[in-house]
Amino acid sequence: MKFLEDEKLFQITQELSDVLCGTRIINGRIEAFSCKRAGTEKKIAHTLAEKFNNEFESSPSELWKHQNVGSSSSSARDKIKPNSETTNKTYHDAQSPLGDFQEMGTRRLLTDLILTLNASFPDYDFSAVKPDHFQHLEIPATAVLVNEKLSEIATRKDFNFLNNLWKVIDEVIVLSECDVFSYTPPDSIDDMFVA
């Protein structure tokens, strides 16, 4: 993943940095990355692909659902109830928010999402993230959620702040050509970033 510098995104990130909203301080970032793999990312992607293929070939769908990302501790896993819909399915039958894992493209998508998270948060290792830890969102619903979260900031900024934000994002990534995924790990994971 290569960080793509963009002056307009940088300016919006500056507007979202250290913003005092009541008793909260907002520190937001808007960044763009290419999905072209380079250097160590190629090695990580290869390792992840091997891991996914091995798990795909040998594991039931429960292995990909609701596991503790950051720990091999069984105590956190024991708190998690298996999804009754997938209890009797094999991994080959499993669908995820990312798509069908029988498709190589779906496994590549998970790899790209993990690499993007690793690039965005270099102090953490997301290599144990599972497909179930993502939620697929429609772009209009995403815009509503983001606008709601930023509404207090928007009232303190320029009247056109949110419109400008979406205009700049669309210029950089062309929203109509994008899929949006939200990283939403299970609540039962105590420390999802420890690997």
Side-chain angles (χ1 to χ4, degrees):
M1 300 289 131
K2 180 181 177 189
F3 174 73
L4 302 175
E5 292 187 34
D6 186 276
E7 184 60 34
K8 291 178 182 177
L9 289 181
F10 177 76
Q11 289 172 353
I12 290 175
T13 295
Q14 291 294 346
E15 291 187 56
L16 294 173
S17 297
D18 296 322
V19 179
L20 183 61
C21 288
T23 60
R24 299 171 295 147
I25 297 175
I26 307 295
N27 279 306
R29 293 188 307 199
I30 299 180
E31 299 173 331
F33 293 88
S34 76
C35 286
K36 184 174 182 178
R37 298 169 182 169
T40 59
E41 288 159 347
K42 286 183 181 180
K43 292 177 188 174
I44 294 169
H46 180 72
T47 301
L48 287 171
E50 285 180 346
K51 176 182 137 184
F52 297 156
N53 287 335
N54 290 339
E55 290 180 9
F56 178 80
E57 295 295 325
S58 64
S59 300
S61 62
E62 266 65 41
L63 186 63
W64 283 85
K65 296 223 172 256
H66 308 298
Q67 282 195 350
N68 187 341
V69 173
S71 170
S72 60
S73 164
S74 62
S75 63
R77 264 195 306 264
D78 292 342
K79 298 176 192 173
I80 302 168
K81 304 285 187 239
N83 181 339
S84 61
E85 289 181 25
T86 58
T87 300
N88 297 321
K89 290 183 179 181
T90 65
Y91 177 67
H92 298 282
D93 298 329
Q95 287 284 325
S96 79
L98 305 181
D100 183 353
F101 263 78
Q102 292 185 51
E103 302 292 327
M104 186 61 71
T106 304
R107 289 181 260 168
R108 182 176 173 92
L109 173 61
L110 178 58
T111 301
D112 287 343
L113 291 170
I114 289 170
L115 291 173
T116 302
L117 285 168
N118 284 340
S120 297
F121 303 98
D123 293 341
Y124 300 103
D125 179 16
F126 292 89
S127 60
V129 166
K130 303 292 182 204
D132 237 36
H133 298 163
F134 293 94
Q135 180 180 12
H136 185 256
L137 301 173
E138 298 297 324
I139 293 194
T142 302
V144 168
L145 287 171
V146 170
N147 289 348
E148 286 174 3
K149 298 286 185 189
L150 296 179
S151 63
E152 191 173 345
I153 293 173
T155 60
R156 297 168 186 244
K157 300 283 183 186
D158 183 296
F159 177 72
N160 289 317
F161 174 74
L162 291 174
N163 289 334
N164 184 46
L165 173 113
W166 290 110
K167 180 182 173 205
V168 169
I169 291 172
D170 193 44
E171 288 173 4
V172 174
I173 62 170
V174 187
L175 287 166
S176 62
E177 298 175 8
C178 294
D179 284 313
V180 177
F181 295 94
S182 175
Y183 176 58
T184 54
D187 293 335
S188 58
I189 295 178
D190 296 327
D191 189 358
M192 67 199 131
F193 298 119
V194 179

